[in-house]
Amino acid sequence: MKAKLGMSPIAWWNDDLVELSDDVSLEECLRQSRSAGFTGMEKGRRFPDDPSVMLPILKAADVTLCGGWFSGTLVDEDLAANQARIAPMIELFKAVDAPCIVYGEVGRSIQGKRDIPLAQKPKLAYDEMKAYARKVTQFGEWCAEQGMPLSYHHHMAAVVETEAELDAFMANSGEGIPLLLDAGHLAFAGGNVLRAIDNHHARINHVHVKDVRMDVINKLDRSRQSFLDAVALGAFTVPGDGSLDFGSIVQKFADYGYEGWFVVEAEQDPKPNPPLRMAQVGYKELMRVMTSAGYTVETQGFPNR
């Protein structure tokens, strides 16, 4: 079985809390990640949107684009509005051979609002969830028809946060919308990561290996503190530095024959948690558990063309 290891630039530059950002260039971010061993990087705010500009940067760093976030609003807005916004991203991702676009629902979400506590996250009634899941499926099918699959990201402070919400979304959506399984977000939401993989492995096409510090999460006052407060306090980290057993998690993926990207997405303050050092910690732990699970981790970065 083959696997690829990537990172998210959110360890270097946080899009929601700009104060949690290293003042480093895109080229330096890619250099540090690649030097730690990672062959892929998801798109961040400092990436160019022109493939003729992006490809030489990726090639020079020997890195491939392994995904990137799209802020979807299907819970409130129509398909056409979202199709129009994602169309340029689809063309960019096709041009640079990215595997998928990560769909993150921001409609009604409080994930970027520091003044709204976790307890006030949006909730959908079952009929609303059913309609929403069908709509996202249509959108996923349309994106795949354009040549770029989506990967649905369940997320803290959004309409699909808890394991029960994820189960309801998956039950009412179809194969046209694959799933991104994010271990850290599910654990933060009180879910069982191994059970979620058991239940939904057939539709998982992308994985975020985000770790959590449960001592930080357990101390949160969810009636007063927000998702961004939790991030600033250090709720997230890289594998090998947190509370999750990635040996068991990776083995579970291996048991189901998952092959593809495992992406470290660990937003935290880069001053006490220098991104290069954290990348090295995460890579070392992932290589340990990947090898134990029987994976061969691919070492090629930018594709030979």
Side-chain angles (χ1 to χ4, degrees):
M1 290 185 302
K2 294 181 179 179
K4 300 178 182 181
L5 298 183
M7 281 203 76
S8 166
I10 202 166
W12 285 265
W13 337 296
N14 192 301
D15 289 351
D16 294 314
L17 289 172
V18 292
E19 64 268 29
L20 300 188
S21 296
D22 248 359
D23 187 22
V24 299
S25 66
L26 169 61
E27 289 81 1
E28 177 63 14
C29 169
L30 295 174
R31 187 198 67 77
Q32 289 185 19
S33 175
R34 188 68 180 95
S35 72
F38 294 95
T39 57
M41 179 69 77
E42 290 193 344
K43 188 177 184 293
R45 71 173 185 266
R46 294 185 181 178
F47 277 73
D49 291 324
D50 182 342
S52 68
V53 178
M54 187 191 294
L55 281 168
I57 294 172
L58 294 175
K59 184 175 183 179
D62 189 31
V63 169
T64 187
L65 191 74
C66 63
W69 175 280
F70 170 74
S71 293
T73 55
L74 288 169
V75 73
D76 289 321
E77 292 190 315
D78 61 21
L79 286 169
N82 282 268
Q83 288 168 345
R85 285 194 300 108
I86 203 172
M89 192 173 183
I90 288 174
E91 294 310 309
L92 170 65
F93 274 43
K94 286 163 58 177
V96 300
D97 265 349
C100 64
I101 291 175
V102 175
Y103 181 96
E105 182 61 57
V106 299
R108 308 187 197 179
S109 174
I110 59 168
Q111 65 201 61
K113 299 176 180 177
R114 201 163 187 178
D115 59 333
I116 302 181
L118 284 159
Q120 293 182 27
K121 86 158 208 81
K123 296 180 181 179
L124 300 182
Y126 186 78
D127 285 346
E128 288 181 294
M129 180 67 80
K130 190 173 181 179
Y132 170 67
R134 290 177 174 174
K135 192 176 180 183
V136 177
T137 303
Q138 284 182 274
F139 187 63
E141 291 169 345
W142 179 84
C143 290
E145 289 169 0
Q146 311 313 304
M148 181 54 55
L150 296 185
S151 193
Y152 186 89
H153 193 333
H154 57 95
H155 201 286
M156 285 298 301
V159 293
V160 179
E161 173 192 276
T162 67
E163 186 178 359
E165 288 169 336
L166 176 59
D167 289 345
F169 175 81
M170 295 298 285
N172 289 288
S173 59
E175 292 183 3
I177 180 67
L179 175 66
L180 183 157
L181 196 289
D182 188 307
H185 277 278
L186 196 61
F188 191 153
N192 183 309
V193 177
L194 299 181
R195 183 170 60 210
I197 299 170
D198 280 334
N199 289 339
H200 307 303
H201 61 90
R203 283 179 44 202
I204 295 171
N205 72 338
H206 205 56
V207 175
H208 278 178
V209 279
K210 183 198 297 284
D211 208 341
V212 291
R213 297 184 178 102
M214 288 308 300
D215 57 333
V216 173
I217 290 171
N218 290 337
K219 291 176 184 175
L220 292 170
D221 179 351
R222 298 192 186 209
S223 68
R224 186 175 60 85
Q225 291 174 294
S226 67
F227 172 71
L228 292 181
D229 288 334
V231 170
L233 288 167
F236 296 127
T237 186
V238 299
D241 186 56
S243 307
L244 298 183
D245 177 6
F246 276 96
S248 296
I249 292 169
V250 169
Q251 184 62 58
K252 182 70 74 173
F253 280 112
D255 290 344
Y256 286 111
Y258 172 82
E259 291 187 299
W261 285 100
F262 291 84
V263 180
V264 174
E265 188 200 36
E267 58 262 54
Q268 51 188 329
D269 190 337
K271 292 181 177 64
N273 306 282
L276 174 57
R277 179 171 62 81
M278 300 310 292
Q280 293 166 339
V281 169
Y283 185 81
K284 181 180 179 181
E285 174 65 5
L286 285 174
M287 286 300 294
R288 182 185 74 81
V289 299
M290 292 280 175
T291 301
S292 178
Y295 278 108
T296 298
V297 176
E298 296 188 15
T299 57
Q300 179 179 312
F302 192 81
N304 295 325
R305 294 177 186 235

